[in-house]
Amino acid sequence: QVQLVESGGGLVKPGGSLRLSCAASGFRFSDYYMSWIRQAPGRGLEWVSYISGSGGTIYYADSVKGRFTISRDNPKNSLYLQMNSLRAEDTAVYYCARGGGAVDVWGKGTTVTVSS
Amino acid sequence: DIQMTQSPSSLSASVGDRVTITCRASQGIGNDLGWYQQKPGKAPKRLIYAASSLQSGVPSRFSGSGSGTEFTLTISSLQPEDFATYYCLQHNGYVRTFGQGTKVEI
């Protein structure tokens, strides 16, 4: 069955870096856009970034542009999010999701906490 | 960027009630809209895609309608397992935008 499993979350100090990973299985990974979506504690959902199947099309929300980098490794069926210059407001659960717009499958999420 | 205004932000309802949630887009988005259900501590689950198509496996009491700028999610007869937060998501153009969410409570 289709499955997405995130990893790499944790506690990091402001200004620090973290790399999230998402392992995909059960579908032809390279055929799909993939996305990162986050949810701050007690808040709504916010789209962070998406990437096309080939990696040639990428979008970032203004809130993370210049600090976060999305990438993928299709032979490894993996999606990544490199997060640099982290701020307190980046604290959230980060979800990996299949699709670049009409998202249909979500992972369980990984928690990122930015605090000194 | 396209803004999505979702209403109400919360509502109280009883089992068996008909519930309607609305999302309005700041400009036309065709039918590039989905509806998602999220329960506490869980990932969102898609209910509706392309504004009115029911996701496989989702009960038929859920339905979506609308196009352009106004969209509606309707639960025809609320069940105990439907108490959750609901979000709309537009994906027209490059930017994707969620509505603010509607918490459905007893």
Side-chain angles (χ1 to χ4, degrees):
Chain A
Q1 73 280 22
V2 175
Q3 194 171 12
L4 300 171
V5 180
E6 304 93 336
S7 60
L11 174 64
V12 61
K13 289 182 168 52
S17 298
L18 214 52
R19 189 195 196 206
L20 306 184
S21 299
C22 171
S25 59
F27 64 102
R28 189 170 169 138
F29 183 68
S30 59
D31 283 351
Y32 288 84
Y33 275 66
M34 295 295 294
S35 297
W36 288 101
I37 297 164
R38 70 183 180 183
Q39 187 169 37
R43 305 295 295 274
L45 299 164
E46 179 188 16
W47 206 290
V48 174
S49 182
Y50 64 74
I51 186 170
S52 63
S54 66
T57 298
I58 287 174
Y59 159 84
Y60 297 103
D62 287 344
S63 57
V64 307
K65 202 173 295 182
R67 300 187 299 122
F68 290 12
T69 302
I70 192 172
S71 62
R72 64 190 298 158
D73 186 334
N74 285 341
K76 292 185 177 179
N77 291 334
S78 293
L79 177 72
Y80 305 103
L81 187 68
Q82 177 66 44
M83 305 187 295
N84 298 331
S85 303
L86 282 161
R87 307 166 179 166
E89 55 265 35
D90 296 318
T91 294
V93 175
Y94 285 73
Y95 295 102
C96 166
R98 186 173 77 168
V103 168
D104 61 348
V105 179
W106 300 62
K108 289 181 167 38
T110 187
T111 300
V112 172
T113 304
V114 184
S115 174
S116 54
Chain B
D1 293 355
I2 298 171
Q3 307 302 318
M4 300 301 294
T5 303
Q6 186 173 339
S7 60
S9 56
S10 65
L11 64 90
S12 295
S14 300
V15 172
D17 284 354
R18 182 181 181 88
V19 169
T20 299
I21 299 168
T22 298
C23 267
R24 288 188 175 84
S26 58
Q27 64 190 71
I29 60 170
N31 68 344
D32 293 337
L33 183 118
W35 288 97
Y36 296 81
Q37 176 194 66
Q38 187 179 33
K39 295 183 179 178
K42 301 291 188 184
K45 169 189 169 184
R46 189 167 75 170
L47 303 174
I48 301 288
Y49 64 95
S52 60
S53 296
L54 189 68
Q55 178 72 28
S56 174
V58 173
S60 59
R61 62 181 180 272
F62 291 94
S63 64
S65 64
S67 67
T69 60
E70 186 149 341
F71 302 85
T72 299
L73 173 71
T74 300
I75 309 172
S76 60
S77 177
L78 199 66
Q79 298 302 300
E81 60 268 29
D82 300 337
F83 291 95
T85 301
Y86 294 83
Y87 295 92
C88 63
L89 167 63
Q90 74 80 22
H91 54 92
N92 185 268
Y94 291 107
V95 179
R96 282 80 172 99
T97 317
F98 287 96
Q100 300 91 331
T102 296
K103 187 172 184 179
V104 176
E105 301 172 296
I106 299 173

